Amino acid sequence: MSLTVSSNCHLSLPTARTRQVMGEFGHVYEQQYAVALFNSVRFEIEGGGGPQSQLLHRKNPLEDRSIFSGGLFQYLEENKRWRNRFVFVADTYNISFYENKVAHERSLHPKGTINCAGYKALTSMEEYLELINTSLPGIKAKVGSGPFVKCATQFPLILWHPYARHHYFCVLTEKEQKKWHAVLQDCVRHSNNGLSEECRVQTPAFTDAMRLHRQAQGHYGTWDMMCGGPPQILANLVMETLHPELRNLIGPRLKGKIQQRQRNWMLISEAVYKQVLSQTQAQYEALVQTCEVEISRLDAVLRTDMDQIITSKEHVSGKIRALVLPRAEQLLRGSVQPFLSSILEALMEPTSRGFSEVRDVFFRELVEVSKNTLNGGGKDKLGEHMEKISMLAFHPVKMQSCYEKVEQLNLEGLQQRFDVSSPSVFIQRAQILMREQMDNAVYTFEHLLHQSLEGKVQGGEDLCKTIHCCQDRVLKKYDYDSSTVRKKFFREAVLQIIIPYMLKHAFVYNLSSPTSQDLPRFQELIFEDFSQFILVENVFEEVVLQSVTKDIMMAVKEAAVQKKHNLYRDSMILTNSDPNLHLLGENPSVDWATQYRGGNEEPEGALGGGGQSSRRRRQVVSMIQLDEMGPLPYESCLEVPGVDFIPEEGEMEEVEPPFQPLLFYFHKWPYCFNTIFLQCMTSA
């Protein structure tokens, strides 16, 4: 049966499944939208929040920057040939590829753009074959048989997705491969970084609706495909059931050799995913518009009757708590509490090592700045060296050693019991937090140093003393903030593991009463005018969450006492030694190149294009320089002008960080309890 016939025979099935899923999801989303609006307005009125950050936060760190660019060989499905492409990774972390570098510089339309949400970056055909061999049941290539794509070099780079198109690239050297792989991993990591926290109603409404919808289908626990924007997540939701259904229908009818059948199935999967994605995009936009029409009316009701709504909710919560709490505690004591210490230990060790490595990398970079400033002529060289460090957090190669520490996180033995699909959810979230803390430290150091240098003429030794003084202040703040961030991460991660387990096993302990037999009785306790803001299902989950929050807080608090985790005790609060520091954060980022390097000279490695022909974009990641090797043909990535912003591994001397006492050392979750977690953590 031909590929065209196979795909056309079932074009109506994706549409039908998409309508079905979007219809079910849309109903839940409309309910959760009103609840999310209530929580948002309540939080606005009552306020709240955790400990104040000691470090400054940069709002738009990648402004006028690009991540990486260069040449890659790309495999084209259309003619089954490898062609050289100029690849540009913008500040959005989308990957665009052009016919050549000139096309990019002229701001021509790219040949294609890849949003890396849901992808995996691979560096070997063996890894890739393992994944595609599971794509069709009963069809598995023999050991030693070649894939349907033959790599043009020994150094492949493959972007694999369970539903969307696979992308095949390759380079000429191992060093290129390592650098590009780090960049691709960063693109995936960034694209998977949850939904925007700025959307204080849409984001919690979406995540809560997605969680409740999946729970209604019997799916609890983490979900690896909760990544990308809402339309992508919804497309993944549709494909979760549609994909195996189509595979069973079409798979047995595919003809040809094993590799050809695998390739045809991948093309069908890609076509179906495109169709589903376009439909979820349109239907989600219509759903959001429908909900936004009601915002003015709902907001007026909330601000008029907020006290009565809160009182009504607390009344219902008390009734449900009296019924549920004793049984929830029975489940907690018997099946959860014995594993709390094991879960925390599995999370804490690799995460703390990762944050410690962030501190060490930051320290080594500052030592290098001090050394080069002392030897290179004071302020004139300072701008050049500070340009190298300003984008340190977004340099995937320099951050790789930090990311690798947390990649050792292993929940083996706990995954099956608590229905955790894989530790990748926790690994990627920890890595994003590490990047944020690194950038906060760099940004704070920049402002403190700039403030210390304003209007002063300092020589090499005085500059080094100033740098060391600012460095010590920032490291102290980093130690405190990293402790606060990690403890919050541990609490949220444990909730991610435990709450779905308790909800899934609620039926064993008869906790399902409020959501089945007793549901109408509890609903009757809510005034009709307030019923859209108070849903019994949400209140029930809040009660279950509150039943475990105290134990989780206590477990993290006890762990903070152990020196090996380098956490502050909860009782230790760092006084603000820089009361006016927050005012510096309102200033624009320091332009070291302009102020300390002669003003109008073009930054080395500046790239045009990307839709901004009149502006020049500085590149974060420097290009590769190989010894004893001339320029490679066909616009290899080695030919792109080098940007020596940050030296690579091996280009600096190792310097031991100073001794430090070991003591001083949720909208983003792919499967989250945004609203209820915010409420419970605030009240706790």
Side-chain angles (χ1 to χ4, degrees):
M1 187 174 185
S2 70
L3 175 62
T4 303
V5 175
S6 297
S7 57
N8 286 341
C9 283
H10 302 283
L11 281 178
S12 59
L13 184 58
T15 300
R17 290 291 176 269
T18 303
R19 287 175 180 170
Q20 177 186 351
V21 171
M22 288 300 297
E24 296 169 353
F25 174 82
H27 175 68
V28 181
Y29 181 84
E30 289 177 353
Q31 292 180 322
Q32 293 302 315
Y33 196 90
V35 175
L37 183 61
F38 161 66
N39 289 321
S40 176
V41 174
R42 181 179 180 181
F43 185 77
E44 175 190 330
I45 294 173
E46 297 181 349
Q52 183 178 358
S53 172
Q54 295 291 315
L55 296 169
L56 299 176
H57 176 70
R58 181 163 22 197
K59 294 181 180 179
N60 189 9
L62 291 173
E63 185 177 7
D64 294 332
R65 301 275 184 169
S66 64
I67 304 300
F68 199 31
S69 64
L72 282 177
F73 294 102
Q74 181 186 23
Y75 181 77
L76 305 182
E77 290 277 359
E78 295 77 12
N79 54 20
K80 299 182 181 180
R81 292 181 181 276
W82 291 88
R83 290 287 303 274
N84 189 270
R85 297 297 190 204
F86 181 81
V87 179
F88 179 78
V89 183
D91 56 354
T92 61
Y93 285 88
N94 285 339
I95 301 173
S96 301
F97 41 93
Y98 298 80
E99 185 72 33
N100 48 48
K101 185 182 176 183
V102 174
H104 168 260
E105 291 176 340
R106 292 178 177 175
S107 299
L108 300 181
H109 198 273
K111 291 287 185 180
T113 300
I114 307 171
N115 182 312
C116 290
Y119 277 90
K120 288 184 179 180
L122 311 175
T123 56
S124 74
M125 281 295 179
E126 289 73 23
E127 291 179 276
Y128 181 64
L129 283 174
E130 287 182 11
L131 291 171
I132 64 172
N133 277 339
T134 61
S135 61
L136 279 172
I139 299 179
K140 187 174 181 179
K142 297 179 181 179
V143 178
S145 61
F148 56 83
V149 177
K150 292 184 179 180
C151 190
T153 72
Q154 299 178 9
F155 307 104
L157 291 158
I158 303 170
L159 287 172
W160 175 89
H161 192 284
Y163 314 127
R165 166 174 284 202
H166 301 172
H167 299 274
Y168 313 95
F169 304 97
C170 68
V171 290
L172 299 178
T173 67
E174 184 179 3
K175 192 171 184 179
E176 284 183 287
Q177 184 190 45
K178 287 182 178 179
K179 177 168 285 191
W180 273 107
H181 184 235
V183 172
L184 295 179
Q185 283 183 309
D186 222 27
C187 292
V188 172
R189 188 180 299 117
H190 181 87
S191 302
N192 289 349
N193 185 30
L195 302 176
S196 173
E197 293 179 341
E198 295 179 0
C199 302
R200 296 186 177 274
V201 177
Q202 285 187 28
T203 292
F206 183 87
T207 51
D208 288 345
M210 182 62 65
R211 171 174 50 80
L212 292 170
H213 174 80
R214 283 179 53 77
Q215 285 177 184
Q217 308 301 318
H219 300 297
Y220 294 77
T222 58
W223 185 36
D224 286 347
M225 296 309 293
M226 184 82 175
C227 47
Q232 290 172 290
I233 296 171
L234 289 167
N236 295 336
L237 180 67
V238 174
M239 294 296 289
E240 188 176 26
T241 54
L242 176 62
H243 199 256
E245 189 174 357
L246 285 176
R247 186 173 57 191
N248 293 333
L249 282 172
I250 298 175
R253 307 168 73 175
L254 295 174
K255 306 298 181 183
K257 295 181 179 180
I258 292 176
Q259 290 85 350
Q260 187 61 35
R261 280 182 281 171
Q262 289 177 334
R263 181 175 181 274
N264 287 344
W265 168 245
M266 287 164 53
L267 293 175
I268 293 172
S269 176
E270 176 198 344
V272 172
Y273 184 72
K274 277 186 177 180
Q275 178 185 350
V276 171
L277 182 58
S278 66
Q279 293 173 353
T280 56
Q281 173 83 43
Q283 294 179 41
Y284 177 71
E285 290 175 357
L287 179 62
V288 171
Q289 289 176 1
T290 301
C291 293
E292 288 180 344
V293 169
E294 294 292 309
I295 285 183
S296 298
R297 181 184 65 82
L298 295 175
D299 187 76
V301 174
L302 285 170
R303 296 186 185 278
T304 303
D305 301 326
M306 177 60 74
D307 290 342
Q308 294 94 318
I309 297 173
I310 293 174
T311 302
S312 179
K313 180 179 179 181
E314 289 176 349
H315 177 65
V316 175
S317 297
K319 296 291 185 181
I320 295 178
R321 188 179 296 109
L323 175 67
V324 170
L325 207 54
R327 300 169 182 173
E329 289 179 349
Q330 182 183 358
L331 175 60
L332 176 66
R333 301 288 177 264
S335 302
V336 173
Q337 202 173 55
F339 297 93
L340 263 181
S341 59
S342 299
I343 296 172
L344 274 173
E345 192 69 21
L347 292 167
M348 281 182 163
E349 285 201 10
T351 304
S352 294
R353 285 198 299 268
F355 276 85
S356 180
E357 181 69 12
V358 169
R359 190 189 200 278
D360 292 346
V361 170
F362 177 66
F363 173 80
R364 290 197 297 267
E365 293 291 338
L366 294 188
V367 169
E368 189 71 10
V369 170
S370 298
K371 185 175 65 175
N372 291 334
T373 301
L374 185 63
N375 298 331
K379 278 190 176 182
D380 293 338
K381 279 288 184 181
L382 182 63
E384 177 184 342
H385 300 315
M386 286 306 299
E387 277 294 317
K388 296 177 182 179
I389 199 175
S390 63
M391 288 290 105
L392 177 60
F394 300 93
H395 193 297
V397 179
K398 293 301 298 182
M399 290 292 293
Q400 189 63 24
S401 62
C402 308
Y403 296 150
E404 287 174 351
K405 299 290 184 185
V406 77
E407 284 174 359
Q408 299 170 16
L409 193 155
N410 188 354
L411 296 175
E412 188 175 354
L414 298 170
Q415 281 183 229
Q416 186 173 3
R417 177 177 183 82
F418 291 101
D419 194 23
V420 178
S421 56
S422 77
S424 63
V425 167
F426 308 102
I427 291 171
Q428 290 188 1
R429 181 61 187 147
Q431 290 171 336
I432 290 293
L433 292 173
M434 288 158 56
R435 188 178 73 181
E436 290 176 357
Q437 288 301 296
M438 174 66 91
D439 191 56
N440 291 349
V442 169
Y443 186 55
T444 305
F445 176 79
E446 286 187 89
H447 275 291
L448 288 176
L449 181 60
H450 185 257
Q451 183 188 47
S452 300
L453 295 178
E454 276 187 318
K456 298 179 182 178
V457 179
Q458 296 182 350
E461 291 187 8
D462 291 335
L463 261 180
C464 285
K465 290 179 181 178
T466 302
I467 291 172
H468 290 159
C469 179
C470 296
Q471 166 190 299
D472 292 342
R473 290 163 68 184
V474 171
L475 288 176
K476 184 178 181 181
K477 296 176 186 298
Y478 172 82
D479 290 338
Y480 183 83
D481 276 10
S482 75
S483 174
T484 303
V485 167
R486 278 180 289 151
K487 285 190 287 187
K488 182 174 182 290
F489 166 75
F490 297 144
R491 291 193 294 264
E492 292 179 350
V494 174
L495 283 173
Q496 290 282 311
I497 296 171
I498 289 177
I499 295 298
Y501 175 84
M502 292 191 68
L503 294 174
K504 181 178 181 180
H505 292 80
F507 296 95
V508 178
Y509 287 79
N510 295 320
L511 293 185
S512 57
S513 301
T515 56
S516 55
Q517 299 95 335
D518 293 332
L519 179 59
R521 178 166 65 88
F522 286 115
Q523 196 68 44
E524 291 172 359
L525 299 176
I526 304 171
F527 290 117
E528 184 177 354
D529 293 343
F530 305 154
S531 60
Q532 55 191 328
F533 306 117
I534 307 171
L535 300 180
V536 173
E537 295 88 343
N538 292 66
V539 177
F540 167 65
E541 290 193 347
E542 289 179 27
V543 171
V544 175
L545 178 64
Q546 290 168 354
S547 71
V548 304
T549 298
K550 183 179 179 181
D551 290 79
I552 292 173
M553 299 281 283
M554 184 60 66
V556 175
K557 185 176 181 180
E558 291 174 355
V561 180
Q562 303 178 34
K563 291 184 178 181
K564 64 179 180 179
H565 297 309
N566 298 334
L567 294 169
Y568 276 99
R569 291 186 177 94
D570 288 344
S571 59
M572 300 184 68
I573 301 175
L574 184 64
T575 57
N576 194 348
S577 58
D578 296 296
N580 296 322
L581 180 62
H582 69 283
L583 298 177
L584 295 178
E586 298 175 3
N587 298 333
S589 297
V590 181
D591 190 341
W592 295 98
T594 300
Q595 297 188 30
Y596 292 90
R597 291 179 64 190
N600 296 325
E601 65 183 59
E602 188 70 43
E604 184 181 3
L607 291 172
Q612 298 185 15
S613 58
S614 62
R615 303 174 65 182
R616 307 293 286 174
R617 301 171 67 91
R618 286 171 285 179
Q619 187 165 293
V620 173
V621 184
S622 60
M623 304 311 300
I624 306 161
Q625 304 295 331
L626 296 182
D627 298 331
E628 300 179 357
M629 189 171 184
L632 296 173
Y634 310 114
E635 288 190 321
S636 162
C637 66
L638 300 183
E639 286 188 79
V640 179
V643 182
D644 300 323
F645 275 176
I646 302 177
E648 306 299 344
E649 294 292 339
E651 296 180 8
M652 64 175 69
E653 298 178 4
E654 290 290 330
V655 180
E656 291 294 329
F659 171 78
Q660 55 221 339
L662 290 175
L663 184 63
F664 296 103
Y665 280 91
F666 230 4
H667 294 301
K668 290 297 185 180
W669 285 103
Y671 186 86
C672 60
F673 300 86
N674 296 297
T675 302
I676 52 181
F677 180 79
L678 174 64
Q679 293 172 339
C680 291
M681 290 296 102
T682 303
S683 61

